[in-house]
Amino acid sequence: MGEQTEQAEQGEQMERTESGGGGKRLRARDGWGIAGGVLFLVALLAVLVIGMGLWKWFVRVTAPVLVDVPGGGWTVGALLGLLSVAGCVGGAWFSAPERNRGRTRPARIGRSIGGALCWTAAFGAMMYVLGALPGRNCGSGGAMCDYIPGTGSALLAYAATAALLGWLWYRRRGAVTSAQRAQEQARLKRLRKKGKGKSRTARGSR
């Protein structure tokens, strides 16, 4: 009996030791995971800050050349507004789920790339107009704080063009969707009258 009791106590002690070592390893692994996540976020934030700084520099360098074209900032703003709307239209067209049905994987990848390029162009044009404006909280009169003549009119032209074209596209898309829905309802109504079809609601309830 004494030997069995000693063996049981030794077994319990070994289990406690193993469980303690496992807990330490688990805590160490969690600590490294948290540290890695924090470093990743810091690196991502640094890349974003550097990228935004480079973009701001690029815009501030090229904007004076663009606003010097015939028509000045009004022409540039209208063209950028047109680019934004065209990018949104293209991105919505590429991203439509029904256009990927039955497509091969390379075709779906190509559509995804096309959609990404369109959305990048849409938002890039908007960020270009905003980047040409003077920086916020600027009181030192630095290069990023100077007002570029023509950027104010470019912003107004961009907003007016994007709003007008966006509204027209929205109305046309709504009209096309309503026409397609009416055609589908008329087709189903004809089928029900002939007794050769049922409504989608009836088919879904079966």
Side-chain angles (χ1 to χ4, degrees):
M1 293 292 292
E3 294 180 356
Q4 293 179 354
T5 303
E6 292 179 358
Q7 291 178 357
E9 291 178 353
Q10 291 178 358
E12 292 177 357
Q13 185 176 1
M14 292 178 63
E15 291 178 358
R16 287 195 297 269
T17 303
E18 291 176 357
S19 61
K24 291 180 180 179
R25 287 194 297 270
L26 182 61
R27 288 192 296 271
R29 187 181 304 170
D30 292 340
W32 282 110
I34 294 173
V38 171
L39 290 176
F40 174 77
L41 292 177
V42 171
L44 181 61
L45 181 61
V47 171
L48 289 176
V49 171
I50 294 174
M52 292 177 63
L54 291 175
W55 175 255
K56 183 74 173 180
W57 173 83
F58 170 76
V59 172
R60 300 288 295 182
V61 169
T62 57
V65 180
L66 290 180
V67 297
D68 198 28
V69 300
W74 296 102
T75 302
V76 175
L79 291 177
L80 291 176
L82 177 62
L83 179 60
S84 283
V85 175
C88 290
V89 173
W93 187 85
F94 278 112
S95 303
E98 61 272 11
R99 300 190 183 278
N100 287 328
R101 294 173 184 171
R103 301 284 182 177
T104 60
R105 186 174 181 181
R108 291 196 298 269
I109 294 175
R111 287 185 176 275
S112 299
I113 295 174
L117 292 176
C118 289
W119 289 117
T120 300
F123 287 102
M126 180 182 66
M127 295 302 297
Y128 190 93
V129 175
L130 296 178
L133 299 176
R136 298 179 59 185
N137 301 324
C138 287
S140 60
M144 294 298 177
C145 302
D146 295 337
Y147 173 74
I148 301 175
T151 54
S153 57
L155 177 61
L156 293 177
Y158 172 85
T161 303
L164 178 60
L165 295 180
W167 179 76
L168 292 175
W169 171 62
Y170 177 78
R171 290 292 301 271
R172 182 183 180 279
R173 186 178 182 184
V176 171
T177 303
S178 299
Q180 292 177 349
R181 188 181 298 111
Q183 291 178 358
E184 181 66 15
Q185 291 177 353
R187 185 182 69 84
L188 293 176
K189 186 177 181 180
R190 289 194 301 268
L191 290 175
R192 285 196 298 269
K193 285 182 178 180
K194 294 179 181 180
K196 295 182 180 180
K198 296 182 179 181
S199 64
R200 293 180 179 178
T201 305
R203 288 200 299 266
S205 62
R206 291 185 59 183

